[in-house]
Amino acid sequence: MADVLVVGSVALDSVATPFGKVREVLGGSATYFSYAASFFTTVRLVATVGDDFPDEHLVLLKERGVDMTGLQMSRGRTFRWVGEYGYDLNEARTLDTQLNVFADFKPVLPSPLKKTPFLFLANIAPELQLDVLRQMERPHLVALDTMNFWIQGKREALLRVLAEVDALLINDGEARQLAQEPNLIKAARSILKFGPRTVVVKRGEYGAVMVSDDHFFFVPAYPLESVFDPTGAGDTFAGGFMGYLASQGVVDQATIRRAIVYGSVMASFTVEDFSLRRLTRLTTAEVERRYAAFQELVRFDI
Ligand code: AMP
């Protein structure tokens, strides 16, 4: 079993969906990632929060065994994101992004963290992703996530870091935007030319597709009847994906396929409630039951 290091946002989110709304709840790409991955392996978190960040959120992550030595407490306000969803829950509309303490965050990795074998560059400024990657000592696997905010605003820096990663996890709209290509499969193929050997495209309620030079794989999403808030689904997917791969220590086609299913399993829980609420009630037994349900879901030769 290997450890995973993640750099990304730790946030206070305000979210409205057709089913309710919440203000300044725990969110952030690195938060969802860490919590989900902690079901599979030990996670080390690199991020920053302001002096307004509630202690109880830190306790939540510590209780999951997340190594917080890479979390910097800075003077100022924590990163904030405000978003909303319409009845089509697949697309978040960002109403406000306040980088706050992330605007001048300079991560300095404590030495033991530099040797972590699995690295996840979660959604955050690409310069920060590159800065962390450069401090690492030859990780075994590096994966990256990003979003429209950075594809539009920091394309050059994003392409620089993309050239150095093994896998990209990205949602469908953003894959089209990054590749400037409307067809999703063509978009994924052209992203391979930017550097990553594997591209995993997350398609919300339509599942996920994996494309590499020699392989193609698809999983549906778990058919849920009550989707409450999709925020964090992508990061939770990534946490399940990387957490499982790290727990196996081996990255081959078989483990990648199972990791995509574990990613889908974890994401299917996150969307059942606001913030990390569903994840905090989740048990390993439930994870395994839903994994088995996925196996049943895609078996057609009976
Ligand atoms: P997702 O998994 O794509 O739904 O990610 C949702 C999380 O991403 C929220 O908890 C936000 O706090 C965080 N987020 C939103 N915009 C950004 C951004 N520009 N950079 C980093 N994190 C963000």
Side-chain angles (χ1 to χ4, degrees):
M1 180 144 91
D3 292 356
V4 185
L5 185 134
V6 59
V7 57
S9 57
V10 173
L12 295 173
D13 286 350
S14 299
V15 181
T17 80
F19 315 108
K21 58 179 175 183
V22 284
R23 257 201 87 230
E24 308 223 323
V25 293
L26 176 60
S29 55
T31 314
Y32 282 104
F33 178 93
S34 302
Y35 206 95
S38 74
F39 281 81
F40 302 90
T41 190
T42 307
V43 186
R44 298 159 166 192
L45 181 136
V46 175
T48 183
V49 291
D51 44 24
D52 57 351
F53 194 68
D55 250 2
E56 66 196 71
H57 297 336
L58 300 177
V59 172
L60 200 72
L61 292 169
K62 278 192 192 132
E63 279 176 352
R64 290 296 309 176
V66 177
D67 175 341
M68 314 278 270
T69 51
L71 181 76
Q72 274 179 40
M73 299 284 198
S74 309
R75 268 236 197 110
R77 278 163 66 79
T78 298
F79 177 98
R80 276 166 173 77
W81 179 73
V82 183
E84 66 175 18
Y85 301 81
Y87 278 101
D88 176 6
L89 292 169
N90 280 324
E91 186 111 32
R93 272 191 299 277
T94 293
L95 302 178
D96 193 19
T97 303
Q98 298 169 23
L99 294 179
N100 296 336
V101 290
F102 269 104
D104 22 53
F105 175 49
K106 288 262 161 290
V108 180
L109 264 55
S111 278
L113 266 56
K114 295 181 180 169
K115 294 187 171 63
T116 315
F118 286 73
L119 172 64
F120 189 67
L121 305 170
N123 181 25
I124 196 65
E127 295 93 338
L128 266 178
Q129 294 177 317
L130 197 58
D131 188 349
V132 168
L133 178 58
R134 290 271 152 81
Q135 293 180 52
M136 297 291 289
E137 291 172 15
R138 293 172 181 275
H140 186 55
L141 180 90
V142 183
L144 175 143
D145 189 7
T146 192
M147 71 180 287
N148 48 17
F149 189 82
W150 306 113
I151 298 171
Q152 276 156 19
K154 297 278 171 119
R155 189 177 173 86
E156 287 309 310
L158 181 60
L159 291 178
R160 264 203 310 282
V161 56
L162 253 186
E164 298 187 33
V165 308
D166 300 296
L168 172 69
L169 278 62
I170 191 166
N171 77 25
D172 44 5
E174 286 151 3
R176 292 188 176 99
Q177 188 184 11
L178 178 62
Q180 293 164 336
E181 160 61 53
N183 179 284
L184 198 60
I185 306 305
K186 279 193 189 158
R189 289 218 184 281
S190 67
I191 292 171
L192 290 174
K193 297 196 191 96
F194 295 152
R197 283 180 284 126
T198 302
V199 175
V200 179
V201 183
K202 300 162 287 177
R203 305 181 58 224
E205 64 179 311
Y206 306 112
V209 178
M210 191 258 318
V211 178
S212 67
D213 276 341
D214 322 313
H215 299 276
F216 186 85
F217 178 61
F218 165 78
V219 283
Y222 187 72
L224 287 170
E225 293 192 15
S226 61
V227 177
F228 216 76
D229 171 20
T231 308
D235 312 305
T236 310
F237 178 99
F241 176 84
M242 288 294 279
Y244 178 76
L245 282 179
S247 76
Q248 301 300 295
V250 185
V251 181
D252 57 20
Q253 266 308 300
T255 50
I256 288 178
R257 285 177 180 228
R258 286 200 295 273
I260 290 173
V261 177
Y262 274 112
S264 309
V265 165
M266 298 308 288
S268 76
F269 287 113
T270 287
V271 302
E272 288 180 350
D273 205 337
F274 281 114
S275 186
L276 280 82
R277 287 180 195 163
R278 182 64 181 94
L279 289 185
T280 58
R281 300 192 302 268
L282 187 62
T283 64
T284 306
E286 285 177 299
V287 172
E288 292 307 328
R289 270 205 298 282
R290 200 161 278 184
Y291 183 84
F294 259 88
Q295 284 176 319
E296 271 310 298
L297 201 63
V298 296
R299 208 155 62 89
F300 59 89
D301 232 353
I302 51 174

